Amino acid sequence: MIHTRRSRTVAAAAVVLISLAAAGCSKNATGSSASNSAGSSAAPVALAGSVTFNQTSLAKLDAALKSALAGKDLSKVDIAMVVNVAADYWKAGQVGFLKGCSDLGISKSKCTYFAPPNGKLTEQNSELETLRSQGVTGYSISAIDPTSAAGTIHTDVQKGIGVLAIDSPLPGTDAASLYLGTPNYTAGFQAGTAMKQVLGGKGKVAILVGSLTASNATQRIAGFEAALKGTKITVAQKVNDNLQASTATSDAETILANNPDVTGLYGVYSYDGPALAQAVTSAGKTASVHIVSDDSDAQTLKFIKSGVISGTVVQMPYQQGYTGAYILAAEKVLGKSATMALVKPYLEKDGSTLSSGVGLVTKSDLSAYQSLESQLGIG
């Protein structure tokens, strides 16, 4: 049975997560990694990771949705996953989305995955227009520009098309009631906590990100800055690289050349980690400039292994794709109200976030994390 194989995968993944947690750093009452006291002048410390994904809970939701769909006609389901840029990060999301469709018995021709080649809003909008013309019944989306998407989303929802926010919430839109993805403030706070540790509580950092307006970016940056409060670490710059890795590298090179007192770089989007690592390596500052990044691109993990990147805050795009497919199918077949009734027990305290989990991967637990990726078929 497909469900049995799925359960085995989740169970195996849980074993890996337990081993990661065992290797992880100590936690305080709020679940944040323990760190140096504010303003500490201690030397930079080695990080120990801690990964707490939400597969077990989401597997239960998947099972509940699948049970509710059992025996129902899914022939009219036509769904899509539309992301914000063609980056390695999203390959896991694509695998999860197509696997979700397969496990539900939905034809591959009725499950479309799209990543804008250049991360351009025009590319994303054009694909959405094509999907509408082809009769899409629902789509998950990591919107490049949530503000400009609001009107389009409203029109789609009014027409009965399901819209699910993934990766980045869509506040103020008709898709604000449910968000499947990383609790972005928490992710940013973990990144800030890691930076505080590796800098010993003092120094200057620069933040590089693909958008200064997208909800995921603003929430992560807010969490990052909150983690630094009370320390002697200041944020010198926040730079928008417009979803371009080459721009992120050149921006980082400029920052390092013009600001010799910058000792930390935080890369918020998936390609930023490798881009910043290349800049620091070119500048010959791998020993003096510490990088904390987001996501687990293959290049990011290589730089973790070599020690150029101190740690990366990882997400679970696979589950955003997999569970996203289940939710979109259920909304079409069961209706939005019935689907939300099944989803509600698994939401976070805010009543709208369906967390795919978040954690920190460092050199100490890199192999365990890669084993998890391999078990999910994304390594």
Side-chain angles (χ1 to χ4, degrees):
M1 295 291 290
I2 290 174
H3 179 61
T4 301
R5 290 199 300 269
R6 169 82 179 145
S7 298
R8 287 172 181 166
T9 298
V10 172
V15 172
V16 176
L17 295 180
I18 291 170
S19 68
L20 281 168
C25 54
S26 61
K27 301 282 187 113
N28 61 28
T30 63
S32 301
S33 301
S35 61
N36 294 325
S37 60
S40 170
S41 59
V45 298
L47 294 176
S50 178
V51 179
T52 53
F53 291 135
N54 200 27
Q55 285 113 308
T56 301
S57 179
L58 291 181
K60 292 178 182 178
L61 171 58
D62 295 339
L65 291 169
K66 189 170 187 179
S67 177
L69 289 168
K72 301 290 195 301
D73 181 10
L74 274 66
S75 63
K76 295 182 179 179
V77 172
D78 192 329
I79 57 179
M81 181 178 184
V82 180
V83 301
N84 56 359
V85 66
D88 284 348
Y89 166 79
W90 280 119
K91 290 179 181 178
Q94 180 182 17
V95 170
F97 179 67
L98 296 178
K99 182 67 165 59
C101 288
S102 175
D103 284 2
L104 287 172
I106 302 171
S107 169
K108 190 174 181 179
S109 65
K110 297 292 185 178
C111 293
T112 302
Y113 171 85
F114 177 76
N118 301 299
K120 299 293 186 183
L121 180 61
T122 52
E123 295 172 331
Q124 192 176 65
N125 288 341
S126 177
E127 177 64 16
L128 290 174
E129 187 60 37
T130 298
L131 291 169
R132 292 184 199 100
S133 70
Q134 295 175 345
V136 70
T137 60
Y139 59 87
S140 58
I141 183 169
S142 175
I144 292 175
D145 185 347
T147 301
S148 68
T152 299
I153 290 172
H154 175 74
T155 300
D156 287 342
V157 171
Q158 291 300 306
K159 290 180 178 179
I161 299 174
V163 182
L164 172 65
I166 57 171
D167 185 57
S168 182
L170 289 168
T173 75
D174 287 36
S177 61
L178 180 60
Y179 161 61
L180 169 60
T182 301
N184 286 296
Y185 182 91
T186 301
F189 195 92
Q190 284 206 13
T193 299
M195 185 65 77
K196 181 167 59 176
Q197 287 182 271
V198 295
L199 293 186
K202 62 181 181 179
K204 282 189 178 181
V205 301
I207 300 172
L208 293 94
V209 61
S211 170
L212 287 170
T213 58
S215 297
N216 59 348
T218 58
Q219 291 172 2
R220 288 186 211 177
I221 292 171
F224 181 83
E225 293 181 314
L228 300 182
K229 287 182 178 178
T231 72
K232 294 180 181 179
I233 300 174
T234 59
V235 176
Q237 289 180 265
K238 301 173 190 176
V239 182
N240 180 6
D241 53 57
N242 292 304
L243 292 167
Q244 299 296 317
S246 58
T247 302
T249 299
S250 61
D251 286 344
E253 289 172 342
T254 300
I255 290 170
L256 294 176
N258 296 334
N259 302 272
D261 54 349
V262 166
T263 54
L265 297 174
Y266 173 37
V268 182
Y269 277 15
S270 62
Y271 55 84
D272 280 320
L276 304 190
Q278 291 171 17
V280 170
T281 301
S282 297
K285 293 187 175 184
T286 56
S288 58
V289 176
H290 301 275
I291 300 171
V292 174
S293 63
D294 281 346
D295 305 325
S296 56
D297 282 12
Q299 289 298 314
T300 297
L301 298 183
K302 287 182 179 179
F303 281 117
I304 292 265
K305 185 175 183 179
S306 68
V308 178
I309 295 178
S310 299
T312 192
V313 177
V314 291
Q315 308 177 72
M316 186 47 73
Y318 175 92
Q319 207 69 55
Q320 294 176 36
Y322 190 94
T323 301
Y326 274 57
I327 290 172
L328 292 171
E331 287 188 346
K332 172 58 180 175
V333 176
L334 306 176
K336 186 173 180 65
S337 295
T339 301
M340 286 302 296
L342 292 169
V343 172
K344 187 176 180 180
Y346 302 94
L347 297 176
E348 299 294 296
K349 291 181 180 180
D350 65 5
S352 62
T353 298
L354 188 58
S355 174
S356 53
V358 63
L360 179 72
V361 169
T362 66
K363 190 173 183 178
S364 66
D365 49 32
L366 177 59
S367 61
Y369 175 73
Q370 289 176 316
S371 177
L372 169 60
E373 286 194 319
S374 178
Q375 290 175 35
L376 291 174
I378 58 178

